[in-house]
């Protein structure tokens, strides 16, 4: 088939919704390219904090940004962690055409060089993507983490933030794990102002990882792959994805925010969705032993 035709076939084979209803386009068309001043009102202004996004090199939209700083307490130690999640709910109102279409789609679908987004591009790549150097609305989890990696306090609030850089796992991994390598030196030079903040995040990650190990959490290392396309978009290679400490750092920050939210819901007896894994069957436990 002609290059790209297989994508059209797949979209139709799996009934992936790929055309926007008129009502959705109309609602999306009301948004401007930038966050309006009235939308920033009554939000905590965190634009001065050097939040960064850390994603794969081929990521197209950015859902979360992180920043942390030492508490400055010489006795207690620890960090203040900020996890900012794009505030989609500000734009996608319950009962709206956008809401109904997002529920119907359920997720974005990624193809080589093409994506079928859950929300129109005005939102998915624009207002709801934490792009660098622009104001964005976010829901923020602020967590105080002890030197030993335990969450001591947390709070949630609506904020306006400004990502200071769009970073990749590879460059952050080079800066933190291999600072003396050629890649590490070049990345550190390019991101000089952010290196101390990345180091703070790395120190926090080490404390959180140690705490997880102490409480007996299992760290599953699964091997994922990615596809390299050659000419005419035919598969040239299938290569393993290399996970580094930058991936794990982001995972630990997200876990912090999730644990804090689960505790908040539980404490206030609010309904929420929890992902709970069944215990392994007896036969598998015996095999493991």
């Amino acid at each position: 088939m002609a290059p790209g035709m297989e994508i059209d076939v797949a979209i139709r084979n799996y009934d992936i919704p790929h055309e926007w209803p008129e009502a959705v386009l109309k609602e999306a068309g009301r948004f401007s390219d930038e966050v309006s001043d009235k939308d920033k009102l009554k939000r905590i202004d965190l634009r001065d904090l050097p939040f960064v996004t850390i994603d794969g090199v081929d990521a197209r939209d950015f859902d979360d940004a992180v920043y942390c700083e030492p508490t400055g307490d010489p006795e207690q130690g620890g960090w203040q962690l900020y996890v900012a999640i794009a505030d989609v709910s500000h734009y996608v109102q319950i009962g709206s055409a956008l809401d109904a279409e997002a529920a119907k789609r359920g997720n974005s679908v990624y193809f080589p060089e093409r994506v079928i987004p859950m929300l129109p591009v005005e939102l998915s790549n624009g207002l709801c993507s934490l792009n660098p150097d622009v104001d964005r609305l976010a829901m923020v989890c602020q967590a105080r983490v002890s030197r030993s990696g335990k969450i001591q306090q947390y709070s949630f609030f609506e904020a306006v933030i400004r990502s200071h850089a769009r970073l990749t796992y590879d460059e952050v991994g080079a800066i933190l794990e291999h600072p003396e390598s050629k890649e590490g030196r070049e990345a550190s030079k390019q991101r000089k102002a952010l290196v101390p903040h990345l180091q703070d995040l790395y120190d926090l990650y080490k404390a959180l990882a140690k705490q997880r190990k102490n409480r007996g959490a299992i760290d599953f290392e699964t091997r994922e792959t990615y596809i390299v396309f050659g000419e005419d978009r035919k598969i040239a290679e299938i290569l393993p994805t290399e996970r580094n400490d930058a991936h794990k750092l982001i995972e630990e920050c997200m876990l912090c925010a999730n644990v804090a939210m689960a505790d908040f819901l539980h404490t206030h007896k609010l309904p929420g969705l929890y992902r709970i894994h069944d215990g392994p069957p007896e036969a598998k436990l015996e095999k493991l032993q």
Side-chain angles (χ1 to χ4, degrees), residues 191-208:
R191 306 292 189 180
K192 189 176 180 181
L194 295 172
V195 170
H197 305 303
L198 292 174
Q199 195 61 57
D200 288 336
L201 279 166
Y202 199 34
D203 292 340
L204 168 68
Y205 153 71
K206 289 174 184 173
L208 291 169

Side-chain angles (χ1 to χ4, degrees), residues 26-196:
K26 191 175 179 182
E27 284 184 7
R30 293 181 191 142
F31 299 118
S32 62
D33 294 339
E34 297 178 8
V35 178
S36 67
D37 289 337
K38 70 177 178 62
D39 285 346
K40 298 174 192 175
L41 298 174
K42 298 181 182 177
R43 286 177 175 262
I44 294 178
D45 189 344
L46 299 181
R47 285 175 288 186
D48 287 342
L49 294 186
F51 278 95
V52 295
T53 60
I54 306 175
D55 294 274
V57 69
D58 54 354
R60 296 164 199 177
D61 43 56
F62 312 106
D63 308 320
D64 48 77
V66 293
Y67 167 70
C68 94
E69 60 190 12
T71 60
D73 187 330
E75 292 182 16
Q76 298 291 327
W79 302 266
Q80 282 287 4
L81 169 66
Y82 297 81
V83 177
I85 309 292
D87 191 356
V88 181
S89 64
H90 179 84
Y91 300 102
V92 182
Q93 299 291 316
I94 291 173
S96 65
L98 281 164
D99 183 38
E101 186 66 16
K104 179 182 171 185
R105 294 185 177 220
N107 52 267
S108 298
V109 182
Y110 293 91
F111 292 104
E113 300 172 22
R114 186 175 171 188
V115 61
I116 311 296
M118 188 175 76
L119 296 167
V121 291
E122 291 91 338
L123 295 177
S124 60
N125 282 28
L127 290 169
C128 296
S129 181
L130 304 180
N131 302 326
D133 303 319
V134 290
D135 293 352
R136 287 290 182 259
L137 305 184
M139 180 64 76
V140 172
C141 172
Q142 180 182 357
R144 165 84 180 255
V145 183
S146 71
R147 187 183 296 163
S148 62
K150 290 184 178 179
I151 299 174
Q152 296 176 310
Q153 292 174 305
Y154 59 78
S155 61
F156 297 93
F157 49 86
E158 294 170 324
V160 53
I161 72 159
R162 195 176 180 91
S163 169
H164 282 50
R166 178 271 198 266
L167 305 177
T168 67
Y169 292 124
D170 290 343
E171 66 177 316
V172 174
I175 290 169
L176 298 177
E177 294 179 79
H178 311 288
E180 298 308 315
S181 67
K182 181 185 175 186
E183 292 82 2
R185 288 198 305 271
E186 285 179 0
S188 296
K189 186 179 178 182
Q190 192 176 355
R191 306 292 189 180
K192 189 176 180 181
L194 295 172
V195 170

